Structures are given as structure tokens and as C-alpha cells.
Amino acid sequence: MLKMMMRNIAAASFYCSSRRWRVVRFTQILGQVAKLKHYSAVISLYNQMGVSRIGRDVYILTIVINCYCHLNQMGFSLSVLGKFFKLGLEPNVFTFTTLINGFLLENRVAEAAGIFNKMMKAGNCKPNLVTFSTLIRGFCMTGNNSAAIQVLRKMDEGACKPDVVCYSNIIDSLCKDTLVDDALNLFLEMMSKGIAPNVITYTSLIHGVCNLGEWKEATRLLNEMVSKNIFPDVFTFSVLVDTLCKESWKQKASTLINGYCKRKNIDEAMMLLREMTCKGLVPDTVTYSILVDGCCKVGKLGDAQKLSSEMQACGQLPNVQTYSILLDGLCKNRQLSRAMQLFGEMEAKKLDINIVIYNILIEGLCIAGKIESARDLFCGLSSKGLRPNVRTYTIMINGLCIAGLTSEAEKFLIQMEEKGCSPEGCTYNTIIRGFIHNKQTSTAMVLIQTMVERGFSADASTMELIVNLLSKDEVDPALLPLIKKSL
């Protein structure tokens, strides 16, 4: 990367005839190298600019000052500031803010404050939000909370108003000094000004109240942040586990993991699981099942199976719910052989395999086009002491329709009623769509009439197909009033 930057400099020196263009180009290059934190390299490149007689501007000199600051060489930073005046350049707010940050990095708060005060008195280079925030952070780092609050009050008096970063820095510092009441008061002040807290703000407060053993307040703050859609991060959870009774927080951990999985933030959920185990908490079967479900829903079947093995290694045996989640994930992702293997494992362990498990497997067979196998499994339910429910029949009807076996699907519709299992709206919509897809419009219209008479209506997918038929004049206009009733 650095060699490429050097080549860019050589090329810029050779090809660019415009002095201003060369300065702009070098500013871009130096800025990129500085972002990579190769501060010494920036200084080296800067010195080469002098040899190549390339001019300096405010931006280049500010970048160089920043690099010297991060190298803890404030003397050189100040010497670069002197170059401003030699070259007739005017330091801007970023230059002075960079110097303030440099002094703070060396814990030289007095000198940082001195620059800030000069900026406040000067009329042409007033501090901006970054300047204020930098100084506040510096005071907080040294535990000088009163000075940080004074800076905050100066912001209130001026045009540059404090933001959540300014408040959060002070709140965190107050909490670390066990001044939790002051922190909470500042938190309320921030909220009253319409400044929304973030995860850092809440984590600081939770850490503060936990250190005082105020567990109920920690719970209240946690619930409050979640209600505002501010989701706890790994550090928040780490604070809670470290400070509170571990057993009482197993449920909280499971709730947080569940929230991440619902948002499909599986990586964050996995980080929380690892944090739990590192803190000596053994995740229970429910927690593992939630994670297995999350992995399946985003297609990470390998991770889901690893979690299943991991939970058994930890002494947490998968229950029927865990197996059903994994089985459903395998079936929906067309991993039928692995699904059948898992089903065999369930039978071998003599688990209580209910109709929900069979529904998942029958649907998986239908999705894979193995309609005969699905029918055999369906017909064998009675021998297992199980009765098919509405979901079971609807799955079979859908599978038969997909296979083009609509007459058999209609027989299943009649059969379910004879067995005392009344069809629902979902069942009717499924078979109606099946007949329409198989271009048996007249039968579909009869079924629509039956559905309406039973008090059910067409869903969005069915209505889309009906509207499409209407546009093609494939529906008898006399049926329009009936169709309208199904809306």
C-alpha cells in the first residue's frame, strides 16, 4: 500500500504541471496514509514534498500535525504550526482541534484548554462541535468532571449546541466516579432537550447503577433502551453479567439473543452466546433453540447443526422444539436427505414426535417433488396414533396441486370434512390457486363460491390470480358479484 502511495507521488510530481493540482493530489494521498495510521510514513512523504518543491497548504500541514500528535511528538507539531506563519497561512478550526487532541493524548490538559480559550477569544476561528467534544473527552479522561460540565454550559450559551457524544462522555465519567445521581440528572437534561440517547449512553448508566448494586434500576434502564429500539451490544451484556447475579440474568441473555435473531443479526447473537460461556453461564436449551432457528432462517444450516452438537456437548439435550426447528430449516432449504437422517435420529431417541414434526416432513417431501413419499407418510399417521390437522391436509392439497393432481387434491378436501376436520380459509385459497394454476378455472370458481358461503375470503395471492383471469376475459362476468364478495 505504501509503495503504491510512493509511486503515486512520483507520478504526481512528473505529470502535474499545475502547482495547485499537485497540492490537492498530495493532500489526498497523505490523508489516505494517515487514515491507515501509518503516521511515520506520512512524515516521510511530507519531507519528500519539500525536496520536490511541492507547496504546502493548510490541509497538508494539519495532517502532518495530526501525525506528530499521534506519535506523541508535540514539539514537532508546534514547529509545524510555526510553518503556517512563515508561509503566510492561517490555521483553521481543524488545525487547533488537532493540537488540542494531541495535548490530550499526552494528558497535557492545561495546554489543551489554553488553546481552546484562545480560540474562544479569537473572532476568526471559533471552536466547532468536534473541538468542544474533544475537550470534554479530555477532561473526562482525567476525571475532571466539573471542567467538562463547564464546557458543556459554554456550549449551551453559544451557537454550537452539545450532542449525544458530549453528554455521553460526561455521563460515562460521572458513572465511573460513582456519581450516578448526577449522571442520571444529566441524562434527563439531555432527554429534555430532545437529544436521543444511544447504546453508549445507556451502557454507561447501566454500568454505573450495577456498580452500586442497584439491580432494579439496571433492569429498568435495560427495558427502557430496548423499548426505544436501542439494542444492547456485547459490552452492555458483559457489564450486566459481570455485575449481577448470573442465574437471574440467564433469562435476560436469552431475551437479547432472541431479539437479535428476530432482527436477523445472527453474528451479534452468536457474540452474546460466546460472551455467556466466557462468563461462566451455560446457555439453556431454549437459548440454543432460538439461535438454531435464527441460523436456519438466514440459511446458515451448517452453523445451526454445529450449535445442535455444541449444546449436547454442554450437557443441554435438544428437545422436540429444537429438532423441529432444525428439521424445518433443512426441509425448506431442500436438504431432504439430512432431514430424513435427523428424523431417524429423533425416532431412535424415542422423542415424542407430534403432528407438527410430521407436517414439517410432509411439506419438505412435497417441496422436493416426492409426492408419493409424502402421501405414504400421511397415510401412515394413524398407525402412529396421530390425526392429521388442517395444516396437514392443506400441505398435502398444496403438494398435489403443484404435482398437477388436482382431482386428488379435491378428494382430500372432501375427505378432511368427512374426518371431522373442517377446511379453513387457507385451505380454500390453496386449492383455488392450485386449480387456477392448472387452468381449471370453472372448478376454481365453484370452490370460490363454496369458500364465500363458508364465510371465508380470498387472500392477496388468490386475488392477484383472479384479477389476472378477469383481465384476460377468462372468467364468466356473471360470477363477478360472487368474486366481489370474497374481497
Side-chain angles (χ1 to χ4, degrees):
M1 175 66 77
L2 289 176
K3 287 181 179 178
M4 188 185 298
M5 298 292 185
M6 296 290 283
R7 284 197 295 271
N8 285 339
I9 286 184
S13 299
F14 183 78
Y15 289 110
C16 297
S17 57
S18 167
R19 179 181 180 279
R20 182 58 196 159
W21 169 250
R22 280 187 290 175
V23 172
V24 171
R25 183 64 180 137
F26 275 104
T27 303
Q28 293 171 343
I29 292 168
L30 292 178
Q32 289 171 15
V33 178
K35 283 180 182 177
L36 295 171
K37 298 185 179 180
H38 295 304
Y39 304 120
S40 296
V42 173
I43 305 301
S44 177
L45 294 174
Y46 168 74
N47 290 332
Q48 286 195 35
M49 289 176 63
V51 174
S52 302
R53 295 183 179 178
I54 299 171
R56 283 89 157 173
D57 66 0
V58 173
Y59 302 103
I60 288 176
L61 293 175
T62 300
I63 290 169
V64 174
I65 287 174
N66 182 49
C67 291
Y68 275 127
C69 287
H70 280 92
L71 292 170
N72 293 323
Q73 296 178 356
M74 287 305 298
F76 287 109
S77 292
L78 293 172
S79 68
V80 176
L81 182 65
K83 284 190 180 289
F84 275 85
F85 306 111
K86 287 182 182 178
L87 295 171
L89 299 172
E90 190 74 27
N92 60 22
V93 64
F94 300 106
T95 311
F96 287 118
T97 302
T98 301
L99 281 168
I100 289 171
N101 187 55
F103 280 121
L104 292 173
L105 289 172
E106 293 188 2
N107 288 324
R108 295 162 66 177
V109 181
E111 282 132 304
I115 295 175
F116 176 81
N117 291 330
K118 287 179 181 177
M119 290 178 72
M120 289 293 289
K121 290 176 183 177
N124 58 342
C125 193
K126 292 290 186 184
N128 61 12
L129 183 59
V130 177
T131 317
F132 279 106
S133 182
T134 300
L135 191 62
I136 286 172
R137 179 171 51 83
F139 282 129
C140 290
M141 284 168 58
T142 58
N144 196 342
N145 298 317
S146 59
I149 292 171
Q150 283 180 17
V151 175
L152 191 73
R153 298 301 169 228
K154 284 183 181 179
M155 295 182 76
D156 286 328
E157 293 167 4
C160 187
K161 301 300 180 184
D163 64 357
V164 65
V165 176
C166 297
Y167 274 102
S168 295
N169 275 321
I170 301 174
I171 287 170
D172 183 61
S173 182
L174 289 168
C175 287
K176 284 175 179 174
D177 289 344
T178 66
L179 300 171
V180 177
D181 288 340
D182 292 339
L184 287 168
N185 288 334
L186 201 61
F187 174 76
L188 293 173
E189 177 189 307
M190 179 185 78
M191 296 275 283
S192 69
K193 292 179 178 178
I195 301 170
N198 57 24
V199 66
I200 296 171
T201 322
Y202 273 110
T203 301
S204 298
L205 285 169
I206 289 171
H207 195 187
V209 297
C210 283
N211 285 339
L212 296 178
E214 296 179 8
W215 299 358
K216 288 184 180 179
E217 182 64 9
T219 303
R220 187 193 68 78
L221 287 166
L222 180 66
N223 292 334
E224 182 181 303
M225 70 184 290
V226 172
S227 71
K228 293 180 179 178
N229 290 320
I230 303 169
F231 222 70
D233 59 15
V234 173
F235 182 69
T236 316
F237 180 68
S238 179
V239 166
L240 293 169
V241 173
D242 276 338
T243 321
L244 301 179
C245 173
K246 290 183 178 180
E247 286 302 316
S248 69
W249 279 89
K250 269 191 181 181
Q251 180 108 25
K252 288 292 179 187
S254 181
T255 302
L256 294 177
I257 287 173
N258 187 36
Y260 276 127
C261 288
K262 283 182 178 178
R263 292 165 174 243
K264 297 186 178 180
N265 295 337
I266 304 302
D267 290 340
E268 286 85 348
M270 290 295 290
M271 285 174 69
L272 278 180
L273 181 76
R274 299 301 167 228
E275 188 70 26
M276 283 181 73
T277 55
C278 287
K279 302 296 181 185
L281 283 176
V282 179
D284 58 16
T285 301
V286 173
T287 306
Y288 272 112
S289 297
I290 289 168
L291 265 168
V292 169
D293 185 46
C295 288
C296 287
K297 283 178 178 174
V298 297
K300 293 185 175 183
L301 296 178
D303 290 342
Q305 289 187 301
K306 283 179 184 176
L307 282 167
S308 178
S309 300
E310 181 185 312
M311 68 184 290
Q312 293 180 67
C314 293
Q316 300 295 319
L317 297 178
N319 56 20
V320 174
Q321 178 70 10
T322 316
Y323 275 109
S324 67
I325 289 167
L326 194 51
L327 191 69
D328 186 56
L330 290 168
C331 287
K332 284 181 177 172
N333 286 276
R334 297 179 180 270
Q335 303 283 333
L336 197 58
S337 60
R338 288 163 71 184
M340 293 303 295
Q341 184 181 353
L342 185 66
F343 182 71
E345 186 182 319
M346 294 174 69
E347 288 186 313
K349 290 184 176 181
K350 296 182 179 180
L351 292 174
D352 183 19
I353 301 175
N354 55 28
I355 192 63
V356 174
I357 300 293
Y358 278 100
N359 286 347
I360 290 168
L361 204 53
I362 290 169
E363 186 174 30
L365 289 165
C366 289
I367 289 170
K370 298 183 180 293
I371 192 67
E372 292 303 323
S373 298
R375 195 190 340 239
D376 290 343
L377 203 59
F378 178 89
C379 293
L381 287 173
S382 58
S383 66
K384 305 285 185 182
L386 296 171
R387 291 182 61 184
N389 57 20
V390 174
R391 173 74 178 148
T392 322
Y393 278 107
T394 304
I395 288 167
M396 279 302 305
I397 287 169
N398 187 52
L400 290 165
C401 287
I402 290 171
L405 304 172
T406 50
S407 59
E408 287 194 50
E410 196 169 12
K411 287 177 184 177
F412 263 84
L413 185 69
I414 296 167
Q415 179 188 324
M416 67 185 294
E417 289 212 73
E418 291 174 349
K419 298 285 185 180
C421 183
S422 299
E424 294 178 351
C426 180
T427 315
Y428 279 111
N429 276 281
T430 298
I431 196 168
I432 288 166
R433 287 196 297 270
F435 274 99
I436 293 174
H437 282 305
N438 284 280
K439 302 188 184 304
Q440 294 174 266
T441 310
S442 57
T443 308
M445 293 303 114
V446 172
L447 287 167
I448 289 173
Q449 183 172 2
T450 304
M451 178 177 70
V452 172
E453 287 172 355
R454 295 282 181 94
F456 301 113
S457 59
D459 61 21
S461 299
T462 307
M463 279 309 306
E464 186 179 348
L465 293 175
I466 293 171
V467 170
N468 188 43
L469 290 174
L470 287 168
S471 67
K472 294 178 181 178
D473 294 326
E474 294 182 18
V475 176
D476 185 349
L479 292 172
L480 282 176
L482 180 65
I483 293 169
K484 285 180 181 179
K485 284 183 182 179
S486 75
L487 293 174

